Amino acid sequence: MTKERGAKGEDDDELRWKIGDRVYALWAGNNCYYVSTIAEVNETDRTVVVTWDDADTSHRKVSFDQVMRPSDETTAWSRSRIEKRATVRSTKQKGRCLFINEACEPGQVVFAERPLLVALPAVAPKLWECLQKLHEAQPLNLGTITFHFAALVSVLTLETGDIDIIRDKYVPEPDEEPNEDVLRILKVLQEADLDGESNRIRNLEAKNFQRLVSAWRYNSFGHHKEDGLVLYNRISMCAHSCDPTCCWSYGDEDAFVLRSRMALEKGGELTISYLQDEDLLKSTGVRQQKLQNWKFTCMCPRCSLKVDVGRGIRCQRCKVGVLYPEVPTRGFETCKVCGSSPSSEDTQMLLHMEEEYVARVDTLDKKDLDDVQTVYQAALEIFERHWILYVMDTILWEGQRQKNIMVAMEHQRRRIDFHQHYYFRPTFILAWCHEELGDCMVQQFPSRKWHLMQEFQRAYQMLAILCGTTHQYTASPYNKLWQVSNTNNSAQVNASAGSNDGETRKPVAQASISM
Ligand SMILES: C[S@@+](CC[C@H](N)C(=O)[O-])C[C@H]1O[C@@H](n2cnc3c(N)ncnc32)[C@H](O)[C@@H]1O
């Protein structure tokens, strides 16, 4: 973390601190930045005395170059600033998409957008309760009340201009007739006692309601803390990719902080993943199937690859080579070791066996580790570098972690290998795999300092890209890295230092560590 990144203004070289300024200051106890208030300014020796927010009384004197303004990385940007950064353009295949107006480094904030609306139960509690009762009496077809609730909250709380913005969001069928749930809800709400919440709803036309429900369904995000939804304006123009150019995290007041996951060139497309990280490690077919929720066939670069290298099958002849299926032909590549390729009969048999294993893995009971182990062992006879092995490695890593750490570590290594083979980009999964492996190494091999540092360093670098250096997630491996590099006995490293669990003092950023 350099001074410039979090400091006052990007073109403001000379920092002028004054008493009462809220700042991030470096606490010499662990080299991390914490929130504090300036209590004294000493221009002569260029230091300040700070009051830490948690009232800690140590290391209060901090030099100017170790103080920074709270970062604007987590605060929503103005609309005009976002518009300078990103442009919406219509494309033939994906409709409106988002493009970057200037080059970006990996991890750089592309923009941070405030929500158009956050639809949480507390915004309209009576309405929420009413919909819940209705859903309990007869479940809504969408399986949740959140979309209908959010549509109604939009009508209740937003001005016409903002409602029009929501109506303009992507829906598969803009002229869709109101379905039975929409009609049922409107009927019930006509008679419901909703206090001040009812007037606007009584005038709502069924077709308009349907359109708003669909707009929320296809464009919103689940709230990260509560049972509710959030909708953003610019972000909802972002297309999906199974190799997304961007990643995101939540900032202050539910701001959507969009970061570049890789170096972006001016004019490049901004994409995010509509799928969770773990689904990005599944086969093209499974990803495509999941994306049917948004009713489109993904045309991203990964989905367009002819060979799916996440579905490796061991060559049945030489047992050494790995064969990958060619997606369009449903045949297999030639073995790179013995040069054979399965006959069409064998191909059918292998594909059928694969389908059966996928179904079996889907129904595994995570608690029944013996059964998982048996399926895993049998699958290893047939598959190699296959996503179902990754799924079982994950179950076995989690299940064995408290029981047999050495076995667990082996599964964790296999998870990392597969992730790097199939999808080698920073993801939260990969970062945490490294951090967790580092935690195990601390217990098992505390003297392998180089190895511990490598695991924590990788986790730290990836998380810095994914959610920035001021994020709590990033502070966790950083703290461990700092402790390993500053202690002779790595066994003293506190595995939970800086992590979310139970720590009250949360660092906001870190100083760089020289390796
Ligand atoms: C949240 S909207 C994105 C904005 C939308 N393109 C628009 O014009 O308003 C999601 C829709 O965009 C399209 N889309 C997004 N990513 C796509 C992709 N990778 N391949 C094909 N269509 C995609 C699909 O129609 C999808 O349902």
Side-chain angles (χ1 to χ4, degrees), residues 358-409:
V358 169
R360 180 80 171 90
V361 169
D362 210 33
T363 53
L364 281 174
D365 174 2
K366 288 184 184 177
K367 289 195 204 101
D368 188 352
L369 287 188
D370 287 342
D371 185 46
V372 179
Q373 186 67 47
T374 308
V375 178
Y376 183 70
Q377 207 153 325
L380 283 175
E381 295 280 314
I382 307 158
F383 305 105
E384 174 75 48
R385 298 196 150 173
H386 196 291
W387 67 272
I388 59 163
L389 294 177
Y390 171 85
V391 170
M392 287 189 277
D393 277 319
T394 305
I395 300 174
L396 291 166
W397 146 254
E398 281 163 3
Q400 294 288 3
R401 210 173 159 183
Q402 304 302 331
K403 294 183 181 149
N404 188 335
I405 194 168
M406 294 301 284
V407 170
M409 282 167 73

Side-chain angles (χ1 to χ4, degrees), residues 94-96 170 218-219 236 239-240 274 294 296-299:
K94 301 188 286 187
R96 293 167 295 184
Y170 167 83
Y218 290 101
N219 296 277
S236 60
H240 161 87
Y274 296 0
W294 288 269
F296 70 90
T297 302
C298 183
M299 297 171 209

